[in-house]
Structures are given as structure tokens and as C-alpha cells.
């Protein structure tokens, strides 16, 4: 168990970091002590905001010496309470937001080095200045930071082509739990020096150290894109269509998102300015984006031809290719606002799960049926990254005045049931959001013993005092 910080430690850090880097003022700390969804509320002895890696190392080194807990935080956009300190108030909340510089860019290396507090949208802008792009984007791009994206192995809607953060980090700098600095920012494409510490820190949710900077892989900027909305009969037909389009268009296909009729209906009901893209409602829809680099042929013609063939032989039921950027954006809006529309509909159980891609079409249909049969009145909504074998499998409680009471009484059990189905399908209980506080107990209960023991051993070896982001990933013992 970590110790609360002494007044001497706090005074030392205040002197070291100065007024911009240290505060105990309740009003300055308050916004960062709850998660953005308002589900987790914590307390902290102080909010420290170092301006450099050396300052982070000084803070962590002092905390390691005195066994004080450190909770790293970037944009505070965790979906699982991963950046919210515990309620005991003994930890230091360490914000990376002042470390927000792009340290370097190289068109030759196709790489960009950004500090942990750099906001994703700013990194996109920086890459564009050298005719490149960083191919990871998600709804929270205006506030999510590089450190948080690395620490959660974030995904988004281009994973299909470029992979999640694990595929995009070429180099990393982090302060380890003893205060030492692991500095490996060189944009190496190949590096076989034994264990890959960088990969261990990616997705570690701040439990093995504080990521302070990352060197990211860039790809050519987009010249033209083709965006289509397609109606299909089933998720199986959707997956077959994806494979067919890949065969025709190669890796131009960057996004392939599944939108069931019930998710589209929620968006049309709750999000102003949206309209159905197809004349007749379809049981399942997919949103596809194909892109070409600057100077290459527009992918629109190839996509239209492939879709015409799919319509002719019944592989797709209906389709429309966006005729303008505005229409393309309106299709994306239908996809990107599903979570917002769900929120407007009311609280629901959210699960970001994965199973092998080939098993996902059956899973979304059969798991939805199993949940709705077992919990009468519930409605399962499975949408998202079908091509990655990852969907958001969310369960709405029975409608009516007792929805909140139902969630309180049955929610945990119903989520447990969903996870049982996922595990039976050889899947993962977290494909995107991570474990954080929310799923720590579920992980402890469901993970294979050998894997769990190895995770604990790694944690003990690197953080013997258990000071890094306690209560996240591992359930408090
Ligand atoms: C998405 O893919 O839209 C998000 O990851 C969903 C979410 O907010 O759960
Ligand atoms: Zn997602």
C-alpha cells in the first residue's frame, strides 16, 4: 500500500515545480478529479504539472523513495476511470498537459516526436505541415493526448489499415517507477534487443511508468477519399463485402464500420441534422472509406465499380457513394455520433469487446439474442469496427421509469454474462477502452491464470512499491 505524502515532500515538490507546476487549490484540482463521464470521483494530495521529462523524473523519484502513489493524467478522456485517482486522497495527480510540444518531425523518417501532453488534433496538424498524416483518429481527438493514447493502446476507425497505437509508436520516452528515464525515441523500424520495453509500456495504463514522449509513425497525406454507405442483410454479408472490396481496392480501404438499424435509428432520433442515407431502412449498414495519396487516382471510381458488382449479385442490398465532401462528412456523422445518441437515450451497459474477425458476424447476432432472451426488455446494440473484430456491444435496460433501478440491480450480472459469451468466443473483454478501474475486478476473475500471474510478476518487478496508478488494471487486493 502506498503512503500518503508528507508535508516535507509536498513542500519540496512545490519548490521544485513552481506555482505553474504545483497546486493544492481545490478549485484548480476539481476538474481533474472526476472522469469526463462523471462516473468516477477521486481525491489527490496535490496536482503536479511538470514541464519537462526531468521534472517528471524528479517527482516520480521522490515518490518512489517515499512510497507515494502517482496517477498520471493526459486529456482525462478515459472511458474506464483509468486517469481518476482513488478516493483516499493519498496520491499525487500528475498532469502531462504542460508537456505539449512537438519535438521534431522528419519527412525522411516518416516520423514525428511529440510530448505526452500533445493533443491528438495538434499532432494531426503538425504532420500535415510536412505533407504527412498520423493515421489514428477518434472522437476525443480535440482533448485526448499522446501519452494517454499510448498508455491505452488507443484504436479508432483506421485500425483496419494501420493498426492501433502499438503499430504506430516507433520510439518512446518514459519515466519508470523508480524515477529513472527510459529514453528510446529514435525512429527505429527494426530493433531486436530482447524484450520490447516500449511495447510493455504501451497499453500499460500508467501502471509501469509515466510516458513522457513518443515518436510516431507517419504515412502519406490523403489526396482523395471515397466514402460509401451500404445496406446489407447481415453481419456475415458485411464481412464478405469487406473481403471483396479489399480484393478489388487493396489497402486503400481504411475504414469499415458496422452500423445496425437500431443504432442508426437512435442517431436519427437524437442527433439534430441527420438523415437516413438510403431510401429504405436496412437491417445492417456499413460505412466504408477508401483513400488515395496525393497524385494517385481517385478511389471513387474503383469503389463505385466494386459496389455496382456487389449490388448486381446481391452481395449488397443498397449503396450510396458520397457525391461531395459534405455528404461524406454527413455519413461519418451518422457513425461518429452513435455513442452520443446512446447517451441521449439513457444510461446503458457498455462493452468494448473483440473476438476473432471470422467469429464476429455470428457473435453479434447470437450474443444479442442470448442477452435479450435472458434479460427481457433489454436491447443489445452492436456497432463499430467489424473489420478489426471489435464492436461496441452495448445493452440498454428495459425502457420505463425503472431503467436506472434495473441497471443498479442487474447491470453487473448482465455485463458478466456478456463477458462470458465473449470469453467463450475466444475474445477479449477490452478491445479499446482498457481495463482502468471499471474492469479490474472482471479481469482478475476472467483472465487465464498464467497470463494474470505474468502480468502481476511484470508489475511487481518494475513497480515493487505499487506506486504507479494504483487500482487500475489490477483490482485492489
Ligand atoms: C466508437 O467507436 O465510437 C467509440 O469507441 C465508442 C464509445 O464511445 O464507446
Ligand atoms: Zn470504438
Amino acid at each position: 500500500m502506498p503512503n500518503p505524502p508528507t508535508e516535507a515532500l509536498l513542500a519540496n515538490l512545490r519548490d521544485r515545480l513552481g506555482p505553474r507546476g504545483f497546486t493544492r487549490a481545490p478549485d484548480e484540482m476539481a476538474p481533474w478529479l472526476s472522469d469526463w463521464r462523471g462516473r468516477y470521483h477521486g481525491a489527490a494530495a496535490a496536482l503536479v504539472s511538470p514541464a519537462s521529462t526531468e521534472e517528471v523524473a524528479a517527482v516520480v523519484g521522490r515518490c518512489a523513495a517515499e512510497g507515494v502513489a502517482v496517477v498520471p493524467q493526459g486529456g482525462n478522456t478515459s472511458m474506464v476511470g483509468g486517469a481518476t485517482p482513488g478516493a483516499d486522497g493519498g496520491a499525487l495527480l500528475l498532469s502531462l498537459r504542460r508537456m505539449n510540444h512537438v519535438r521534431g518531425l522528419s519527412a525522411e523518417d516518416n516520423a514525428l516526436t511529440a510530448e505526452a501532453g500533445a493533443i491528438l488534433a495538434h499532432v494531426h496538424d503538425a504532420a500535415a505541415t510536412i505533407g504527412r498524416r498520423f493515421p489514428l483518429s477518434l472522437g476525443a481527438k480535440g482533448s485526448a493526448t499522446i501519452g494517454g493514447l499510448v498508455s491505452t493502446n488507443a484504436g479508432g476507425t483506421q485500425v483496419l489499415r494501420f493498426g492501433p497505437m502499438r503499430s504506430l509508436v516507433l520510439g518512446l520516452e518514459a519515466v519508470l517507477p523508480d524515477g529513472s528515464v527510459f529514453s528510446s525515441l529514435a525512429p527505429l523500424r527494426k530493433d531486436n534487443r530482447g524484450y520490447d520495453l516500449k511495447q510493455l509500456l504501451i497499453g500499460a495504463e500508467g501502471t509501469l511508468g509515466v510516458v513522457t514522449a513518443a515518436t510516431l509513425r507517419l504515412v502519406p497525406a490523403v489526396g482523395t477519399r471515397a466514402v460509401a454507405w451500404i445496406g446489407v442483410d447481415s453481419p456475415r454479408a458485411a464481412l464478405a463485402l469487406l473481403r471483396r472490396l479489399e480484393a478489388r481496392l487493396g489497402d486503400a480501404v481504411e475504414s469499415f464500420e458496422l452500423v445496425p438499424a437500431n443504432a442508426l435509428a437512435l442517431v436519427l432520433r437524437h442527433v439534430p441534422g441527420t438523415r437516413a442515407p438510403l431510401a429504405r431502412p436496412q437491417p445492417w449498414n456499413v460505412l466504408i472509406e477508401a483513400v488515395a495519396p496525393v497524385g494517385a487516382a481517385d478511389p471513387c471510381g474503383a469503389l463505385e465499380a466494386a459496389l455496382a458488382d456487389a449490388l448486381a449479385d446481391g452481395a449488397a442490398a443498397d449503396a450510396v457513394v458520397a457525391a461531395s465532401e459534405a455528404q461524406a462528412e454527413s455519413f461519418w456523422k451518422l457513425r461518429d455520433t452513435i455513442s452520443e445518441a446512446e447517451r441521449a437515450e439513457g444510461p446503458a451497459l457498455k462493452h468494448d469487446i473483440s473476438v476473432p474477425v471470422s467469429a464476429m458476424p455470428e457473435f453479434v447476432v447470437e450474443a444479442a439474442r442470448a442477452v435479450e432472451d435472458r434479460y427481457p426488455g433489454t436491447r443489445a446494440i452492436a456497432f463499430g469496427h467489424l473489420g478489426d473484430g471489435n464492436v461496441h456491444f452495448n445493452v440498454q435496460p428495459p425502457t420505463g421509469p425503472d431503467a436506472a433501478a434495473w441497471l443498479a440491480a442487474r447491470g453487473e450480472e448482465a455485463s458478466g454474462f456478456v463477458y462470458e459469451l465473449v470469453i467463450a468466443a475466444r475474445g477479449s473483454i477490452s478491445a479499446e477502452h482498457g481495463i482502468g478501474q471499471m474492469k479490474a475486478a472482471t479481469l482478475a476473475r476472467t483472465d487465464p491464470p498464467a497470463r494474470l500471474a505474468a502480468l502481476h510478476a511484470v508489475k511487481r518487478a518494475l513497480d515493487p512499491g505499487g506506486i504507479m496508478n494504483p487500482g487500475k488494471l489490477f483490482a485492489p487486493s
Side-chain angles (χ1 to χ4, degrees):
M1 271 294 280
N3 305 314
T6 59
E7 286 302 322
L9 172 72
L10 293 171
N12 178 284
L13 294 179
R14 191 188 56 228
D15 293 348
R16 176 81 167 80
L17 300 171
R20 287 190 65 205
F22 182 98
T23 182
R24 299 179 78 180
D27 58 327
E28 289 173 26
M29 292 171 60
W32 313 110
L33 295 173
S34 297
D35 72 318
W36 68 280
R37 288 170 72 196
R39 295 179 59 160
Y40 295 95
H41 306 283
L47 169 64
V48 296
S49 307
S52 66
T53 303
E54 292 67 35
E55 288 188 356
V56 176
V59 172
V60 176
R62 286 302 303 253
C63 288
E66 302 195 20
V68 172
V70 177
V71 176
Q73 190 182 82
N76 197 21
T77 58
S78 174
M79 307 288 282
V80 289
T84 308
D88 62 74
L92 291 185
L93 185 59
L94 191 159
S95 168
L96 278 307
R97 277 178 295 275
R98 285 178 72 206
M99 292 182 60
N100 59 3
H101 301 103
V102 171
R103 289 191 192 162
L105 282 154
S106 166
E108 277 194 319
D109 279 318
N110 268 332
L112 172 158
T113 300
E115 291 181 339
I119 288 172
L120 179 57
H122 298 164
V123 167
H124 290 158
D125 294 346
T129 64
I130 57 163
R132 300 289 187 272
R133 71 184 157 124
F134 176 55
L136 183 144
S137 194
L138 35 72
K141 66 175 181 242
S143 40
T145 58
I146 293 304
L149 294 162
V150 169
S151 298
T152 56
N153 184 30
T157 44
Q158 291 150 311
V159 170
L160 185 65
R161 180 168 181 191
F162 297 107
M165 218 52 181
R166 280 194 206 283
S167 315
L168 297 170
V169 175
L170 297 172
L172 202 67
E173 179 191 87
V175 174
L176 300 178
D178 63 358
S180 61
V181 178
F182 163 61
S183 185
S184 191
L185 284 170
L188 300 183
R189 301 281 163 162
K190 301 177 91 172
D191 177 12
N192 278 355
R193 293 173 293 167
Y195 305 141
D196 192 339
L197 187 51
K198 159 174 69 79
Q199 289 296 349
L200 206 52
L201 288 158
I202 300 171
E205 303 188 18
T207 63
L208 297 179
V210 183
V211 170
T212 50
T215 298
L216 305 170
R217 178 182 152 213
L218 304 181
V219 301
V222 173
T224 47
R225 66 171 178 165
V227 176
W229 189 276
I230 305 154
V232 290
D233 297 339
S234 65
R236 176 62 61 201
L239 182 54
L241 181 67
L242 169 62
R243 295 299 179 233
R244 183 173 169 144
L245 293 176
E246 282 172 340
R248 291 277 287 263
L249 284 98
D251 63 4
V253 180
E254 279 197 5
S255 302
F256 191 88
E257 297 285 310
L258 182 71
V259 182
N262 57 7
L264 180 60
L266 282 186
V267 169
L268 297 175
R269 185 177 324 144
H270 292 292
V271 182
T274 52
R275 55 192 289 266
L278 301 174
R280 276 179 300 112
Q282 301 292 328
W284 298 88
N285 305 268
V286 293
L287 174 63
I288 177 168
E289 176 163 317
V291 310
V294 179
D298 188 328
C300 213
L303 182 60
E304 274 172 350
L307 288 175
D309 288 351
L311 288 169
D313 62 23
D318 199 357
V320 51
V321 178
S324 64
E325 261 304 299
Q327 197 177 15
E329 281 303 311
S330 74
F331 291 176
W332 268 111
K333 185 172 178 184
L334 295 171
R335 161 64 186 92
D336 285 341
T337 54
I338 296 175
S339 288
E340 181 185 324
E342 280 187 313
R343 203 162 40 243
E345 182 76 3
L349 302 171
K350 289 168 75 85
H351 314 99
D352 60 304
I353 54 99
S354 64
V355 299
V357 176
S358 59
M360 190 52 97
E362 266 69 50
F363 182 87
V364 291
V365 173
E366 285 167 15
R369 192 178 303 135
V371 169
E372 290 169 1
D373 282 353
R374 191 173 171 122
Y375 301 101
T378 59
R379 290 142 301 146
I381 298 190
F383 68 92
H385 325 290
L386 179 72
D388 311 334
N390 161 215
V391 295
H392 297 282
F393 188 93
N394 299 338
V395 179
Q396 292 179 320
T399 44
D402 295 335
W406 186 93
L407 283 171
R410 309 293 301 276
E412 204 175 312
E413 178 204 320
S415 283
F417 181 60
V418 171
Y419 292 138
E420 266 175 42
L421 298 171
V422 169
I423 290 162
R426 300 190 300 139
S428 165
I429 65 166
S430 178
E432 274 198 328
H433 299 164
I435 299 298
Q437 310 183 37
M438 193 164 123
K439 291 180 222 154
T442 306
L443 186 80
R445 183 165 51 76
T446 59
D447 230 26
R451 183 176 183 279
L452 210 49
L455 293 191
H456 277 280
V458 169
K459 170 74 175 171
R460 273 196 306 274
L462 287 181
D463 183 17
I467 63 164
M468 287 309 312
N469 212 7
K472 319 296 161 40
L473 189 53
F474 302 102
S477 43

